């Protein structure tokens, strides 16, 4: 049985991906920073749960220890937990922010979860992934992380593009980490994915896709075989320009 961990899987895209991977026969660990939310989600899904706050290195280490003790390996890691960024001057999270609002502190907040969190989870779980016959990592990025997507001339090739300097920079950094890990660890299938603009709490449910549509590329990347792609930036429509 494929052992899979999804961070931030107690709701929204992570929860939907967990639901579909359970249906495909994976033993899924719902990573949740709130154990009660994790327990409820896991119960509904027929999954397991582990407390994991990606900004808390001790909780990541302890989650890795628990899965090692229970399963002895990890086959698939989905780095899904993410935040939209700082509150803008209107107090709205994730709202397009102006260049003047960007400070080291606003960047640090969003990088803490979206980049350092994902990197630390990967670091702690690499030894367990190393015991799998087909280790797979999915980094859940965004089309906003595409530098080629910034609309310098005319329309952006990224649907629903908005200016969001901190968030976009964090996802671009996650994309580069993906490429670097793919180069350094050819035994790993590691890809970064853009779920597309999806109605979740993340954007006050303004997204135009359903969670089923958004989770499709996460599930596809989580189920690649040994000969599958690695070091790619993918959406449901195909490759995304870096
Ligand atoms: P969401 O509805 O806000 O859910 C985010 C999940 O991440 C929740 O389970 C949340 O837990 C968890 N989380 C946040 N910070 C965490 C932390 N420090 N440790 C552990 N878990 C944490 O967001 P979503 O729309 O499902 O987004 C999931 C991923 O897709 C994110 O990486 C996001 O950047 C990416 N994405 C989303 C869209 C979109 O349109 N929705 C588009 C492109 C990319 P709590 O319930 O405890 O808050």
């Amino acid at each position: 049985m494929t052992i899979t961990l999804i961070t931030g899987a107690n709701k929204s895209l992570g929860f939907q991906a967990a639901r579909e991977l359970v249906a495909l026969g994976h033993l899924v660990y719902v990573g949740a920073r709130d154990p009660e939310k994790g327990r409820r989600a896991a119960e509904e899904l027929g999954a397991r749960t582990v407390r994991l706050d990606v900004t808390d290195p001790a909780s990541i280490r302890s989650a890795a220890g628990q899965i090692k003790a229970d399963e002895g390996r990890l086959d698939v890691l989905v780095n899904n937990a993410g935040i939209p960024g700082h509150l803008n001057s209107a107090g709205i999270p994730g709202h397009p922010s102006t260049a003047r609002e960007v400070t080291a502190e606003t960047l640090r907040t969003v990088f803490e979860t979206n980049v350092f969190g994902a990197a630390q989870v990967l670091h702690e779980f690499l030894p367990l992934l190393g015991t799998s016959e087909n280790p797979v990592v999915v980094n859940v990025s965004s089309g906003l992380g595409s530098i080629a997507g910034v609309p310098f001339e005319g329309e952006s090739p990224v649907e629903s593009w908005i200016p969001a300097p901190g968030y976009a920079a964090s996802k671009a950094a996650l994309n580069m980490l993906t490429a670097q890990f793919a180069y350094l660890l050819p035994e790993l299938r590691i890809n970064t994915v853009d779920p597309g603009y999806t109605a979740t709490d993340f954007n006050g449910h303004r997204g135009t896709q359903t969670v089923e549509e958004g989770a499709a590329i996460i599930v596809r990347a989580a189920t690649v075989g040994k000969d599958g792609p690695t070091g790619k930036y993918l959406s449901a429509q195909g490759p995304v320009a870096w």
Side-chain angles (χ1 to χ4, degrees):
M1 188 179 261
T2 307
I3 317 289
T4 298
L5 167 66
I6 307 178
T7 64
N10 53 281
K11 68 177 183 183
S12 306
L13 285 167
F15 181 83
Q16 179 61 27
R19 187 201 295 282
E20 294 180 32
L21 291 170
V22 167
L24 289 171
H26 289 219
L27 173 59
V28 174
Y29 276 80
V30 169
R33 56 181 165 181
D34 177 333
E36 182 50 27
K37 285 185 189 169
R39 192 194 61 74
R40 268 189 266 130
E43 194 175 283
E44 186 178 337
L45 292 167
R48 298 195 179 164
T49 189
V50 66
R51 193 183 94 74
L52 200 167
D53 180 336
V54 303
T55 63
D56 172 3
S59 89
I60 304 172
R61 199 163 309 129
S62 140
Q66 184 184 324
I67 296 177
K68 183 179 181 190
D70 291 352
E71 315 298 341
R73 70 171 203 283
L74 184 70
D75 300 301
V76 180
L77 167 64
V78 181
N79 268 319
N80 167 75
I83 59 168
H86 70 288
L87 301 182
N88 74 354
S89 50
I92 303 169
H95 192 272
S97 48
T98 68
R100 284 178 194 281
E101 288 177 78
V102 178
T103 61
E105 201 44 45
T106 61
L107 289 181
R108 202 169 283 124
T109 306
V110 68
F111 270 61
E112 203 63 64
T113 299
N114 295 2
V115 184
F116 308 146
Q120 191 62 23
V121 171
L122 192 47
H123 174 74
E124 288 291 353
F125 279 93
L126 268 181
L128 262 190
L129 284 163
T131 63
S132 170
E133 283 190 2
N134 178 30
V136 171
V137 175
V138 183
N139 288 329
V140 180
S141 179
S142 163
L144 296 181
S146 163
I147 294 172
V150 180
F152 293 114
E153 292 167 14
E155 279 216 351
S156 170
V158 174
E159 222 176 288
S160 311
W161 191 90
I162 52 163
Y167 177 72
S170 76
K171 293 301 190 180
L174 184 63
N175 288 350
M176 181 54 92
L177 277 178
T178 309
Q180 293 284 332
F181 272 77
Y183 177 82
L184 290 167
L185 299 172
E187 66 277 19
L188 205 61
R189 308 289 91 195
I190 178 168
N191 294 290
T192 183
V193 302
D194 168 23
Y197 192 36
T198 306
T200 68
D201 290 347
F202 196 85
N203 47 41
H205 292 263
R206 286 185 297 271
T208 48
Q209 294 187 139
T210 63
V211 282
E212 287 82 359
E213 290 169 319
I217 189 62
I218 302 176
V219 172
R220 203 183 304 163
T223 51
V224 294
K226 271 186 181 158
D227 300 330
T230 191
K232 299 284 188 272
Y233 184 14
L234 303 166
S235 77
Q237 286 71 44
V240 183
W242 297 97

